[in-house]
Amino acid sequence: MITTLRTKITVKEICAGFVYNEMQGKGLFGLSGRLTIQPEYQRCYIYADNGGMKEIAVIDSILKGYPLGLIYFNKVSEEILEVLDGQQRITSVGRFVTDKFAIRGGDGNPQYFSSMAEDKKTKIFDTKLLIYECEGSESEIKEWFKTINIAGIPLNNQELLNAVYSGPFVTLGKEEFSNSQNANIQKWSAYVKGSANRQDFLERALDWVSKGNIGEYMSKHRFDENINELNRYFNSVIDWVSTVFTDVVSEMRGLEWGRLYEEYHKQSYNPAKVSSEVQRLYGDPYVNNRRGIFEFILGGCADPKLLDVRVFDEATKKTVYKTQTNTAEKKGVSNCPLCVLGPDANKTKIWKLSEMDADHVAAWSKGGATDIKNCQLLCKTHNRAKGNK
Ligand SMILES: [Zn+2]
């Protein structure tokens, strides 16, 4: 890859012909049309978020003469350049000089570029940017792109993958899954965590259809002209979850629905029964992990480990230990009731409290409560053996 450092390009030149597209939330062109600021694979402009703190900071830096940091262009051809890194900063400057936002002036009032004193305008326009022009094969550039850390907000994993596998498939995928105007987002948000802008829905859809091999899947479908399979699979998962679980609760968001769909979608469930089970478990004070309720029910309520059922507290353990040990010592047998039944030397062994664990006499899954009457201490070995049954 060839890189050439450019030090003479000014803000004025970069911003010549700057176009900001409100619909797409993107800065599009600069350098009198030669520069593509936010190519397809770049994320939307985010420096205007949070009241525009970041874009205002960019303009403040220029006015104070601070460097804006390195900017990288990809030289596509003699006439065409693409911003590889720096699109947020360039879009900030472009938006400012086209009066899309104001900074705070000396008197505390909002100040737009067009109303600034001439010397300040000149200062901004004449600021020179530090730009590396890179020229290389697509794979070289994208490999490099993967390794750089963008100043400010690093690209997340899906944004990187979108860059590496840019093409018609990513474009269509983003149209469907990364568009915050999509009316389905609200429904999806019940089950999928994150935001459309940061590619979280696209990532989840790809994760599900590819069974976790997102990069491989994107590479294989990179030049596809449709996303039918991706769409179909994602919607099948969402439809399945929303049919089986008619209650929508916050703990559902972000669960591994793709895996659960694969494991359980061929079984039949009675949604009314499922719903009453969900409500019963939500009301059960012994359930520590509510996120485990859904898989617990899908699996036929067989694996209470998923619910992280509340354990006995230390005070209860100590009390039970004392009673149990006193009785055992009187009888001359082990204080672990299961060791007593065993064949070896442990028959009479008195374990220390630290060597024992508390156990539900009547199993929690069969309705046994987590209170002192249902508590016994077992040596660790026996407790583990019982837990695994
Ligand atoms: Zn034992």
Side-chain angles (χ1 to χ4, degrees), residues 242-306:
S242 55
T243 309
V244 175
F245 297 101
T246 48
D247 317 72
V248 173
V249 287
S250 62
E251 283 83 0
M252 292 177 134
R253 188 177 302 138
L255 294 182
E256 296 173 68
W257 292 116
R259 176 179 67 76
L260 296 173
Y261 172 79
E262 280 300 315
E263 257 173 73
Y264 298 108
H265 80 274
K266 290 195 178 123
Q267 296 186 31
S268 67
Y269 297 93
N270 172 349
K273 230 178 122 192
V274 166
S275 171
S276 73
E277 237 348 57
V278 169
Q279 278 159 31
R280 184 181 71 77
L281 291 166
Y282 260 77
D284 188 323
Y286 300 119
V287 171
N288 265 335
N289 178 26
R290 289 180 158 181
R291 291 172 61 79
I293 287 177
F294 310 93
E295 185 167 5
F296 179 73
I297 292 174
L298 290 170
C301 301
D303 186 3
K305 278 201 293 296
L306 291 165

Coordinates of all heavy atoms in Angstrom, one line a residue, residues 242-306:
S242 N -42.6 -14.7 19.7 CA -43.7 -13.9 20.1 C -45.0 -14.8 20.1 O -46.0 -14.4 20.7 CB -43.9 -12.7 19.2 OG -44.0 -13.1 17.8
T243 N -45.0 -15.9 19.4 CA -46.1 -16.8 19.5 C -46.1 -17.7 20.7 O -47.1 -17.9 21.4 CB -46.1 -17.8 18.2 OG1 -46.0 -17.0 17.1 CG2 -47.4 -18.5 18.2
V244 N -44.9 -18.2 21.1 CA -44.8 -19.1 22.2 C -45.0 -18.3 23.5 O -45.7 -18.7 24.4 CB -43.4 -19.8 22.3 CG1 -43.2 -20.6 23.6 CG2 -43.2 -20.7 21.1
F245 N -44.3 -17.1 23.6 CA -44.4 -16.3 24.8 C -45.3 -15.0 24.5 O -44.8 -14.1 23.9 CB -43.0 -15.8 25.2 CG -42.1 -16.9 25.7 CD1 -41.1 -17.4 24.8 CD2 -42.3 -17.6 26.9 CE1 -40.3 -18.5 25.2 CE2 -41.5 -18.6 27.3 CZ -40.5 -19.1 26.4
T246 N -46.5 -15.1 24.9 CA -47.4 -14.0 24.6 C -47.1 -12.8 25.6 O -47.5 -11.7 25.2 CB -48.8 -14.4 24.7 OG1 -49.0 -15.1 26.0 CG2 -49.2 -15.3 23.6
D247 N -46.5 -13.0 26.7 CA -46.2 -11.9 27.6 C -44.8 -11.3 27.1 O -43.9 -12.0 26.8 CB -45.9 -12.3 29.0 CG -47.0 -13.3 29.5 OD1 -46.9 -14.5 29.1 OD2 -47.8 -12.9 30.3
V248 N -44.8 -10.0 27.0 CA -43.5 -9.3 26.6 C -42.9 -8.7 27.9 O -43.5 -7.8 28.5 CB -43.7 -8.3 25.5 CG1 -42.4 -7.5 25.3 CG2 -44.2 -9.0 24.2
V249 N -41.8 -9.2 28.3 CA -41.2 -8.7 29.6 C -39.7 -8.3 29.3 O -39.1 -8.8 28.3 CB -41.2 -9.7 30.7 CG1 -42.6 -9.8 31.3 CG2 -40.7 -11.0 30.3
S250 N -39.2 -7.3 30.0 CA -37.9 -6.8 29.7 C -36.8 -7.8 29.7 O -35.8 -7.7 29.0 CB -37.6 -5.6 30.6 OG -37.5 -6.1 32.0
E251 N -36.9 -8.8 30.5 CA -35.8 -9.8 30.6 C -35.6 -10.6 29.3 O -34.7 -11.3 29.1 CB -36.1 -10.8 31.7 CG -35.7 -10.3 33.1 CD -36.8 -9.4 33.7 OE1 -37.9 -9.3 33.0 OE2 -36.7 -8.9 34.8
M252 N -36.6 -10.5 28.4 CA -36.5 -11.2 27.1 C -35.5 -10.6 26.2 O -35.0 -11.2 25.3 CB -37.8 -11.2 26.4 CG -38.9 -12.0 27.0 SD -40.4 -11.7 26.1 CE -40.9 -13.4 26.0
R253 N -35.2 -9.3 26.4 CA -34.4 -8.6 25.5 C -33.0 -9.0 25.5 O -32.4 -9.1 26.6 CB -34.5 -7.1 25.8 CG -33.8 -6.2 24.7 CD -33.9 -4.7 25.0 NE -35.3 -4.4 25.1 CZ -35.8 -3.5 26.0 NH1 -35.0 -3.0 26.9 NH2 -37.1 -3.3 26.0
G254 N -32.4 -9.4 24.4 CA -31.0 -9.8 24.3 C -30.8 -11.3 24.6 O -29.6 -11.7 24.8
L255 N -31.8 -12.1 24.8 CA -31.5 -13.5 25.0 C -31.1 -14.2 23.7 O -31.3 -13.6 22.6 CB -32.8 -14.2 25.5 CG -33.3 -13.8 26.9 CD1 -34.5 -14.6 27.3 CD2 -32.1 -14.0 28.0
E256 N -30.5 -15.4 23.8 CA -30.0 -16.0 22.6 C -31.2 -16.7 21.9 O -31.2 -17.9 21.8 CB -29.0 -17.1 23.0 CG -27.8 -16.6 23.7 CD -26.9 -17.8 24.2 OE1 -26.4 -18.5 23.3 OE2 -26.8 -17.9 25.4
W257 N -32.0 -15.9 21.3 CA -33.2 -16.4 20.7 C -32.9 -17.3 19.4 O -33.7 -18.2 19.1 CB -34.2 -15.3 20.3 CG -34.8 -14.6 21.5 CD1 -34.6 -13.4 21.9 CD2 -35.6 -15.3 22.5 NE1 -35.3 -13.1 23.1 CE2 -35.9 -14.3 23.5 CE3 -36.1 -16.6 22.7 CZ2 -36.7 -14.5 24.6 CZ3 -36.9 -16.8 23.8 CH2 -37.2 -15.8 24.7
G258 N -31.8 -17.0 18.8 CA -31.5 -17.8 17.6 C -31.2 -19.2 18.0 O -31.6 -20.2 17.4
R259 N -30.4 -19.4 19.1 CA -30.0 -20.7 19.6 C -31.3 -21.4 20.1 O -31.5 -22.6 19.8 CB -29.0 -20.6 20.7 CG -28.6 -21.9 21.3 CD -27.6 -21.8 22.4 NE -28.0 -21.1 23.6 CZ -28.8 -21.5 24.5 NH1 -29.3 -22.8 24.4 NH2 -29.1 -20.8 25.6
L260 N -32.1 -20.7 20.9 CA -33.3 -21.3 21.4 C -34.3 -21.7 20.3 O -34.9 -22.8 20.4 CB -34.0 -20.3 22.4 CG -33.1 -20.0 23.6 CD1 -33.8 -18.9 24.4 CD2 -32.9 -21.2 24.5
Y261 N -34.4 -20.9 19.3 CA -35.2 -21.3 18.1 C -34.7 -22.6 17.5 O -35.5 -23.5 17.3 CB -35.2 -20.2 17.1 CG -35.8 -20.5 15.8 CD1 -37.2 -20.4 15.7 CD2 -35.1 -20.8 14.7 CE1 -37.8 -20.7 14.5 CE2 -35.7 -21.1 13.5 CZ -37.1 -21.1 13.4 OH -37.7 -21.3 12.2
E262 N -33.4 -22.7 17.3 CA -32.9 -23.9 16.7 C -33.2 -25.1 17.6 O -33.5 -26.2 17.1 CB -31.4 -23.8 16.5 CG -30.9 -23.0 15.3 CD -31.4 -23.6 14.0 OE1 -31.3 -24.9 13.8 OE2 -32.0 -22.9 13.1
E263 N -33.0 -24.9 18.9 CA -33.2 -26.1 19.8 C -34.6 -26.5 20.0 O -34.9 -27.6 20.2 CB -32.6 -25.7 21.2 CG -31.2 -26.4 21.4 CD -30.6 -25.9 22.7 OE1 -31.0 -26.3 23.8 OE2 -29.6 -25.1 22.6
Y264 N -35.5 -25.5 20.0 CA -36.9 -25.8 20.5 C -38.0 -25.6 19.5 O -39.2 -25.9 19.8 CB -37.2 -25.0 21.7 CG -36.3 -25.4 22.9 CD1 -35.3 -24.5 23.3 CD2 -36.4 -26.6 23.5 CE1 -34.4 -24.8 24.4 CE2 -35.5 -27.0 24.6 CZ -34.6 -26.1 25.0 OH -33.7 -26.4 26.0
H265 N -37.8 -25.0 18.3 CA -38.9 -24.6 17.5 C -39.7 -25.8 16.9 O -40.8 -25.6 16.4 CB -38.5 -23.6 16.4 CG -37.9 -24.2 15.2 ND1 -36.6 -24.5 15.1 CD2 -38.5 -24.6 14.0 CE1 -36.3 -25.1 13.9 NE2 -37.5 -25.1 13.2
K266 N -39.2 -27.0 17.0 CA -39.9 -28.1 16.5 C -40.9 -28.7 17.5 O -41.7 -29.5 17.2 CB -39.0 -29.2 15.9 CG -38.3 -28.7 14.7 CD -37.6 -29.8 13.9 CE -37.0 -29.2 12.7 NZ -35.5 -29.5 12.6
Q267 N -40.7 -28.2 18.7 CA -41.7 -28.7 19.8 C -42.9 -27.8 19.8 O -42.8 -26.7 19.5 CB -41.0 -28.7 21.1 CG -39.8 -29.6 21.2 CD -39.2 -29.7 22.6 OE1 -39.9 -29.5 23.6 NE2 -37.9 -29.9 22.7
S268 N -44.0 -28.4 20.3 CA -45.2 -27.6 20.4 C -45.4 -27.1 21.8 O -45.1 -27.8 22.8 CB -46.4 -28.4 19.9 OG -46.7 -29.4 20.8
Y269 N -45.9 -25.9 21.9 CA -46.2 -25.3 23.3 C -47.6 -24.8 23.3 O -48.1 -24.3 22.2 CB -45.2 -24.2 23.6 CG -43.8 -24.7 23.6 CD1 -42.9 -24.7 22.5 CD2 -43.3 -25.2 24.8 CE1 -41.6 -25.1 22.5 CE2 -41.9 -25.7 24.9 CZ -41.1 -25.6 23.7 OH -39.9 -26.1 23.8
N270 N -48.2 -24.8 24.4 CA -49.5 -24.2 24.6 C -49.3 -22.8 25.2 O -48.9 -22.7 26.4 CB -50.3 -25.1 25.5 CG -51.6 -24.4 25.9 OD1 -51.9 -23.2 25.7 ND2 -52.5 -25.2 26.6
P271 N -49.5 -21.8 24.4 CA -49.1 -20.4 24.8 C -49.8 -20.0 26.1 O -49.2 -19.3 26.9 CB -49.6 -19.5 23.7 CG -49.6 -20.4 22.5 CD -50.0 -21.8 23.0
A272 N -51.0 -20.5 26.3 CA -51.7 -20.1 27.6 C -51.0 -20.7 28.8 O -50.8 -20.1 29.8 CB -53.2 -20.6 27.5
K273 N -50.6 -22.0 28.6 CA -49.9 -22.7 29.7 C -48.6 -22.0 30.0 O -48.1 -21.8 31.1 CB -49.8 -24.1 29.3 CG -50.2 -25.1 30.4 CD -50.0 -26.5 30.0 CE -49.1 -27.3 30.9 NZ -48.7 -28.6 30.4
V274 N -47.9 -21.7 28.9 CA -46.6 -21.1 29.0 C -46.7 -19.8 29.7 O -45.9 -19.4 30.6 CB -46.0 -20.9 27.5 CG1 -44.8 -19.9 27.6 CG2 -45.6 -22.2 26.9
S275 N -47.7 -19.0 29.4 CA -47.9 -17.7 30.0 C -48.1 -17.8 31.5 O -47.6 -17.1 32.3 CB -49.1 -17.0 29.3 OG -49.4 -15.8 30.1
S276 N -48.9 -18.8 31.9 CA -49.2 -18.9 33.4 C -47.9 -19.4 34.1 O -47.6 -19.0 35.2 CB -50.4 -19.8 33.7 OG -50.1 -21.2 33.4
E277 N -47.1 -20.2 33.4 CA -45.8 -20.7 34.0 C -44.9 -19.4 34.1 O -44.2 -19.3 35.2 CB -45.1 -21.6 32.9 CG -44.7 -23.0 33.3 CD -44.7 -23.5 34.7 OE1 -45.7 -23.4 35.5 OE2 -43.6 -23.9 35.1
V278 N -44.8 -18.6 33.1 CA -44.0 -17.4 33.2 C -44.4 -16.6 34.4 O -43.5 -16.2 35.2 CB -44.1 -16.5 31.9 CG1 -43.4 -15.2 32.1 CG2 -43.4 -17.3 30.7
Q279 N -45.7 -16.4 34.5 CA -46.2 -15.5 35.6 C -45.9 -16.2 37.0 O -45.5 -15.5 37.9 CB -47.6 -15.2 35.4 CG -47.7 -14.0 34.4 CD -49.1 -13.9 33.8 OE1 -50.1 -14.3 34.4 NE2 -49.1 -13.4 32.6
R280 N -46.1 -17.5 37.0 CA -45.8 -18.2 38.3 C -44.3 -18.0 38.7 O -44.0 -17.6 39.8 CB -46.1 -19.7 38.2 CG -45.9 -20.4 39.5 CD -46.2 -21.9 39.3 NE -45.1 -22.6 38.6 CZ -43.9 -23.0 39.0 NH1 -43.6 -22.6 40.3 NH2 -43.1 -23.6 38.3
L281 N -43.4 -18.2 37.7 CA -42.0 -18.1 38.0 C -41.6 -16.6 38.3 O -40.7 -16.4 39.1 CB -41.1 -18.6 36.9 CG -41.3 -20.2 36.8 CD1 -40.7 -20.6 35.4 CD2 -40.5 -20.9 37.9
Y282 N -42.2 -15.7 37.7 CA -41.9 -14.3 38.0 C -42.3 -13.9 39.4 O -41.7 -13.1 40.0 CB -42.7 -13.3 37.0 CG -41.7 -12.8 35.9 CD1 -41.4 -13.6 34.9 CD2 -41.2 -11.5 36.0 CE1 -40.5 -13.2 33.9 CE2 -40.3 -11.1 35.0 CZ -40.0 -11.9 33.9 OH -39.1 -11.5 33.0
G283 N -43.3 -14.6 39.9 CA -43.8 -14.4 41.3 C -43.1 -15.2 42.3 O -43.3 -15.0 43.5
D284 N -42.2 -16.1 41.9 CA -41.5 -17.0 42.8 C -40.2 -16.3 43.4 O -39.3 -16.0 42.7 CB -41.1 -18.2 42.1 CG -40.5 -19.3 43.0 OD1 -39.8 -18.9 44.0 OD2 -40.8 -20.5 42.8
P285 N -40.2 -16.0 44.7 CA -39.1 -15.2 45.3 C -37.8 -16.0 45.2 O -36.7 -15.4 45.5 CB -39.6 -15.0 46.7 CG -40.6 -16.1 47.0 CD -41.2 -16.4 45.7
Y286 N -37.8 -17.3 45.0 CA -36.6 -18.1 45.0 C -35.9 -18.0 43.6 O -34.7 -18.4 43.5 CB -36.9 -19.6 45.3 CG -37.5 -19.7 46.7 CD1 -38.7 -20.3 46.8 CD2 -36.8 -19.2 47.8 CE1 -39.3 -20.3 48.1 CE2 -37.4 -19.3 49.1 CZ -38.6 -19.8 49.2 OH -39.2 -19.9 50.4
V287 N -36.5 -17.5 42.6 CA -35.9 -17.4 41.3 C -35.0 -16.2 41.3 O -35.5 -15.1 41.3 CB -36.9 -17.3 40.2 CG1 -36.3 -17.0 38.8 CG2 -37.7 -18.6 40.1
N288 N -33.7 -16.4 41.2 CA -32.7 -15.3 41.1 C -32.6 -14.8 39.7 O -32.4 -13.6 39.4 CB -31.4 -15.7 41.6 CG -31.2 -15.4 43.1 OD1 -31.8 -14.4 43.6 ND2 -30.3 -16.1 43.8
N289 N -32.5 -15.7 38.7 CA -32.2 -15.4 37.3 C -33.5 -15.4 36.5 O -33.8 -16.5 35.9 CB -31.2 -16.3 36.8 CG -30.9 -16.0 35.3 OD1 -31.1 -14.8 34.9 ND2 -30.4 -16.9 34.6
R290 N -34.2 -14.3 36.4 CA -35.4 -14.3 35.6 C -35.1 -14.5 34.1 O -36.0 -14.9 33.4 CB -36.1 -13.0 35.8 CG -36.7 -12.9 37.2 CD -37.4 -11.6 37.3 NE -38.4 -11.7 38.4 CZ -39.2 -10.7 38.7 NH1 -39.1 -9.6 38.1 NH2 -40.1 -10.9 39.7
R291 N -33.9 -14.1 33.6 CA -33.6 -14.3 32.2 C -33.6 -15.8 31.8 O -33.7 -16.2 30.7 CB -32.3 -13.6 31.9 CG -32.4 -12.1 31.9 CD -31.1 -11.4 31.8 NE -30.4 -11.7 30.5 CZ -30.7 -11.2 29.4 NH1 -31.7 -10.3 29.3 NH2 -30.1 -11.5 28.3
G292 N -33.4 -16.7 32.9 CA -33.4 -18.1 32.6 C -34.8 -18.7 32.5 O -34.9 -19.9 32.1
I293 N -35.8 -18.0 32.8 CA -37.2 -18.5 32.9 C -37.6 -19.1 31.5 O -38.2 -20.1 31.4 CB -38.2 -17.4 33.4 CG1 -38.0 -17.2 34.9 CG2 -39.6 -17.8 33.1 CD1 -38.9 -16.1 35.4
F294 N -37.2 -18.4 30.4 CA -37.7 -18.7 29.1 C -37.2 -20.1 28.6 O -37.9 -20.9 28.1 CB -37.5 -17.6 28.1 CG -38.0 -16.3 28.7 CD1 -37.2 -15.5 29.4 CD2 -39.4 -16.0 28.7 CE1 -37.6 -14.3 30.1 CE2 -39.9 -14.9 29.3 CZ -39.0 -14.0 30.0
E295 N -35.9 -20.2 28.8 CA -35.2 -21.5 28.4 C -35.7 -22.6 29.3 O -35.9 -23.7 28.9 CB -33.7 -21.4 28.4 CG -33.0 -22.6 27.9 CD -31.6 -22.4 27.6 OE1 -31.0 -21.4 27.9 OE2 -31.0 -23.4 27.1
F296 N -35.9 -22.3 30.6 CA -36.4 -23.3 31.6 C -37.7 -23.9 31.1 O -37.9 -25.1 31.1 CB -36.5 -22.6 32.9 CG -37.0 -23.5 34.0 CD1 -36.3 -24.5 34.6 CD2 -38.3 -23.3 34.5 CE1 -36.7 -25.3 35.6 CE2 -38.8 -24.1 35.6 CZ -38.0 -25.1 36.1
I297 N -38.6 -23.0 30.7 CA -39.9 -23.4 30.2 C -39.8 -24.2 28.9 O -40.4 -25.2 28.7 CB -40.9 -22.2 30.1 CG1 -41.2 -21.6 31.5 CG2 -42.2 -22.6 29.4 CD1 -42.0 -20.4 31.5
L298 N -39.0 -23.6 28.0 CA -38.9 -24.3 26.7 C -38.4 -25.7 26.9 O -38.7 -26.6 26.1 CB -37.9 -23.5 25.8 CG -38.4 -22.2 25.3 CD1 -37.3 -21.4 24.6 CD2 -39.6 -22.4 24.3
G299 N -37.5 -25.9 27.8 CA -36.9 -27.2 28.1 C -37.8 -28.1 29.0 O -37.3 -29.1 29.5
G300 N -39.0 -27.8 29.2 CA -39.9 -28.6 29.9 C -39.7 -28.5 31.4 O -40.0 -29.4 32.2
C301 N -39.3 -27.3 31.9 CA -39.1 -27.1 33.4 C -38.2 -28.1 34.0 O -38.5 -28.5 35.2 CB -40.4 -27.0 34.1 SG -41.5 -25.7 33.4
A302 N -37.2 -28.6 33.3 CA -36.4 -29.7 33.9 C -35.1 -29.2 34.5 O -34.4 -30.0 35.2 CB -36.1 -30.7 32.7
D303 N -34.6 -28.1 34.2 CA -33.3 -27.7 34.6 C -33.3 -26.4 35.4 O -33.0 -25.3 35.0 CB -32.4 -27.5 33.3 CG -31.0 -27.2 33.7 OD1 -30.6 -27.3 34.9 OD2 -30.2 -26.9 32.8
P304 N -33.5 -26.6 36.8 CA -33.6 -25.4 37.6 C -32.3 -24.6 37.7 O -32.3 -23.5 38.2 CB -33.9 -26.0 39.0 CG -33.7 -27.5 38.9 CD -33.7 -27.9 37.5
K305 N -31.1 -25.2 37.3 CA -29.9 -24.4 37.3 C -30.0 -23.1 36.5 O -29.4 -22.1 36.8 CB -28.8 -25.3 36.7 CG -28.1 -26.2 37.7 CD -26.7 -26.7 37.3 CE -26.7 -27.5 36.0 NZ -27.4 -28.8 36.2
L306 N -30.9 -23.2 35.5 CA -31.1 -22.0 34.6 C -31.7 -20.8 35.4 O -31.6 -19.7 35.0 CB -32.1 -22.3 33.5 CG -31.5 -23.3 32.4 CD1 -32.6 -23.8 31.5 CD2 -30.5 -22.5 31.5

